[in-house]
Amino acid sequence: MERTGFLEYVLNYVKKGVELGGFPEDFYKILSRPRRVLIVNIPVRLDGGGFEVFEGYRVQHCDVLGPYKGGVRFHPEVTLADDVALAILMTLKNSLAGLPYGGAKGAVRVDPKKLSQRELEELSRGYARAIAPLIGDVVDIPAPDVGTNAQIMAWMVDEYSKIKGYNVPGVFTSKPPELWGNPVREYATGFGVAVATREMAKKLWGGIEGKTVAIQGMGNVGRWTAYWLEKMGAKVIAVSDINGVAYRKEGLNVELIQKNKGLTGPALVELFTTKDNAEFVKNPDAIFKLDVDIFVPAAIENVIRGDNAGLVKARLVVEGANGPTTPEAERILYERGVVVVPDILANAGGVIMSYLEWVENLQWYIWDEEETRKRLENIMVNNVERVYKRWQREKGWTMRDAAIVTALERIYNAMKIRGWI
Ligand SMILES: NC(=O)C1=CN([C@@H]2O[C@H](COP(=O)(O)OP(=O)(O)OC[C@H]3O[C@@H](n4cnc5c(N)ncnc54)[C@H](OP(=O)(O)O)[C@@H]3O)[C@@H](O)[C@H]2O)C=CC1
Ligand SMILES: O=C(O)CCC(=O)C(=O)O
């Protein structure tokens, strides 16, 4: 397997965590390799005739804390090495959040926007069939990530249930509310990012009210982060997607997102320019340089790098995406006094809500939306507090160091008590 920059960066962070935490070198040796990797090829009959075969993966990184858990990404450039990096992050994230889960991640190299609805369904069902022997509601529980959503989870849970011959609701999470899902999961990651941002804003400035925000990416995470941050009193002045940035100094009308939540892709950002008098800048990278208090990267990995970290004007960066900041960028931001709330803390709301949905499913029980959101919020607030306190205690650490070492402690203790190390 060829190691990409992303995997190198994640390993670099883990190695540093192992060193800072004073763990034995063998611990890093174990964590640097996934326990199991499945490579699958999924044939799809194309509407225009003929077949395309898509390569996919399911990487199971570590199950010392419980069943494997992590999303599935549909993206044209995803590699096996990226998937390993994402699975490692899931092991850390699930540990930090106190969940009874190990870490996994799945991926298919495909541009889902180029498939028809029927082709997408065939691919999703084909992927679920291909990984079925290695997943299960107490074995490995996938969920959405970039390029996948609740509808895709519905097809996958249906396909898996057909194979078993009975309904298995808990094998995938983030399903539609009509099919064993909880309505909170659709917005859980963005809501969690907003809660983490609010809690950190209280510590830095005494509150979030009136703080200006720029958000990169208007997918599931980005648009719900915008929505909840505005509700909490922040002023979202810029959002971006792959095509460019929508900017409005007085604050964007984020309610538009809620009203048009079926929309994806460029339409969402264009919405602000057509219905909200926002400026549209055709360069998506313009988002880094904006004079805002808070920047939320919520698109993909490796976007804040050595070459642009110096341009970031925000005082607080909250990682909605997985792995958006390279180690070189992290060092530059740290030296400039920019606080970076790391991915494994900031975007854990998605998997925490997945856990709550899974608990409901295993008991065939249904919780109400408000009650579930409150549980999610409490877990996020406590996690931010725990990591923040640890970070304050350790001089010279970044907040990521504090989060990773805290996550590693739980993993190490479980390995130790099980006699794995
Ligand atoms: N979904 C979830 O529950 C969770 C997701 N994450 C992480 O959050 C990130 C986003 O995931 P999610 O929202 O689900 O993904 P989506 O596929 O829903 O959305 C991704 C968004 O990012 C945009 N984008 C991609 N590349 C760029 C770029 N270079 N500049 C600006 N925008 C860009 C896309 O633009 P366009 O619309 O134009 O394609 C799209 O708006 C990923 O890192 C993911 O791993 C983390 C935890 C949970
Ligand atoms: O909800 C889940 O299980 C997965 C979420 C995920 O993939 C992530 O946090 O990156």
Side-chain angles (χ1 to χ4, degrees):
M1 178 187 67
E2 196 191 326
R3 278 191 184 182
T4 55
F6 183 28
L7 178 56
E8 287 296 345
Y9 299 148
V10 170
L11 289 174
N12 188 307
Y13 284 132
V14 175
K15 199 171 195 0
K16 188 177 174 207
V18 168
E19 284 163 11
L20 288 175
F23 302 105
E25 260 179 51
D26 284 340
F27 185 41
Y28 173 74
K29 214 186 271 174
I30 295 170
L31 288 179
S32 64
R33 306 268 191 113
R35 177 55 62 93
R36 194 180 286 126
V37 170
L38 177 66
I39 302 181
V40 297
N41 288 293
I42 309 140
V44 172
R45 191 185 295 275
L46 301 177
D47 292 348
F51 279 85
E52 183 73 64
V53 180
F54 297 97
E55 184 169 299
Y57 319 103
R58 184 71 185 167
V59 174
Q60 297 177 336
H61 174 250
C62 176
D63 66 345
V64 72
L65 293 173
Y68 297 104
K69 183 90 187 86
V72 179
R73 176 172 289 200
F74 283 3
H75 192 276
E77 279 143 36
V78 73
T79 65
L80 177 55
D82 294 339
D83 206 22
V84 173
L86 290 162
I88 297 173
L89 288 177
M90 286 312 304
T91 299
L92 297 172
K93 191 184 304 185
N94 293 337
S95 170
L96 183 66
L99 303 177
Y101 288 143
K105 200 85 177 198
V108 177
R109 196 171 319 123
V110 60
D111 186 348
K113 287 184 192 154
K114 293 201 173 134
L115 299 185
S116 68
Q117 203 49 6
R118 191 205 57 77
E119 291 165 341
L120 189 60
E121 177 172 349
E122 195 172 317
L123 176 68
S124 307
R125 289 184 181 276
Y127 179 73
R129 266 199 313 281
I131 65 167
L134 289 189
I135 61 170
D137 60 357
V138 291
V139 182
D140 181 354
I141 305 122
D145 187 67
V146 173
T148 52
N149 58 21
Q151 172 62 73
I152 290 177
M153 295 307 112
W155 289 324
M156 289 188 183
V157 79
D158 181 62
E159 194 65 23
Y160 184 85
S161 295
K162 278 184 189 160
I163 293 168
K164 296 309 260 188
Y166 51 88
N167 285 319
V168 190
V171 65
F172 290 87
T173 56
S174 194
K175 302 172 295 290
E178 296 82 356
L179 193 68
W180 313 309
N182 184 302
V184 177
R185 181 60 183 88
E186 157 66 16
Y187 58 76
T189 309
F191 175 70
V193 172
V195 170
T197 309
R198 182 193 67 199
E199 294 307 300
M200 285 305 294
K202 281 186 200 160
K203 303 200 182 293
L204 293 179
W205 300 296
I208 186 108
E209 292 73 24
K211 294 294 160 208
T212 53
V213 184
I215 302 175
Q216 181 191 42
M218 276 288 100
N220 176 275
V221 180
R223 65 175 185 264
W224 287 111
T225 300
Y227 176 79
W228 286 103
L229 275 178
E230 195 202 42
K231 265 193 167 323
M232 291 170 187
K235 195 156 86 169
V236 179
I237 65 167
V239 299
S240 73
D241 67 7
I242 201 94
N243 299 297
V245 180
Y247 174 80
R248 190 163 179 268
K249 204 167 120 222
E250 301 75 27
L252 296 163
N253 174 7
V254 177
E255 275 294 319
L256 282 174
I257 296 177
Q258 171 77 336
K259 292 195 186 118
N260 297 272
K261 70 180 177 198
L263 290 175
T264 53
L268 202 46
V269 170
E270 277 170 17
L271 199 65
F272 293 111
T273 45
T274 51
K275 297 204 175 167
D276 196 25
N277 286 333
E279 245 179 81
F280 185 68
V281 183
K282 263 196 175 159
N283 170 16
D285 291 342
I287 196 92
F288 296 107
K289 303 179 220 161
L290 295 174
D291 195 1
V292 285
D293 300 308
I294 300 162
F295 175 50
V296 180
I300 44 160
E301 58 275 2
N302 295 350
V303 293
I304 312 181
R305 301 175 302 265
D307 59 332
N308 61 11
L311 304 176
V312 173
K313 293 206 179 68
R315 164 92 201 282
L316 177 63
V317 172
V318 185
E319 294 186 337
N322 284 311
T325 313
T326 69
E328 189 189 357
E330 171 116 315
R331 190 180 45 72
I332 296 170
L333 294 173
Y334 178 79
E335 282 165 4
R336 294 181 49 227
V338 179
V339 175
V340 179
V341 185
D343 45 10
I344 61 166
L345 175 63
N347 71 31
V351 72
I352 295 168
M353 184 54 229
S354 275
Y355 163 70
L356 297 173
E357 179 183 325
W358 179 74
V359 169
E360 287 181 275
N361 292 160
L362 291 185
Q363 304 170 87
W364 296 92
Y365 199 79
I366 295 165
W367 285 324
D368 127 275
E369 180 174 355
E370 294 297 312
E371 178 189 357
T372 318
R373 192 169 66 233
K374 199 72 218 148
R375 278 174 198 261
L376 168 62
E377 182 168 7
N378 287 342
I379 300 174
M380 282 302 300
V381 169
N382 290 337
N383 288 349
V384 171
E385 194 56 34
R386 210 157 31 95
V387 174
Y388 179 79
K389 280 197 180 133
R390 178 78 191 253
W391 176 51
Q392 293 291 293
R393 277 207 315 271
E394 310 281 0
K395 293 288 157 245
W397 285 24
T398 62
M399 210 169 162
R400 189 186 319 278
D401 295 333
I404 291 181
V405 172
T406 307
L408 289 176
E409 277 167 0
R410 187 165 167 240
I411 298 166
Y412 182 75
N413 290 340
M415 281 192 184
K416 195 89 190 138
I417 212 151
R418 289 173 74 139
W420 289 13
I421 192 162

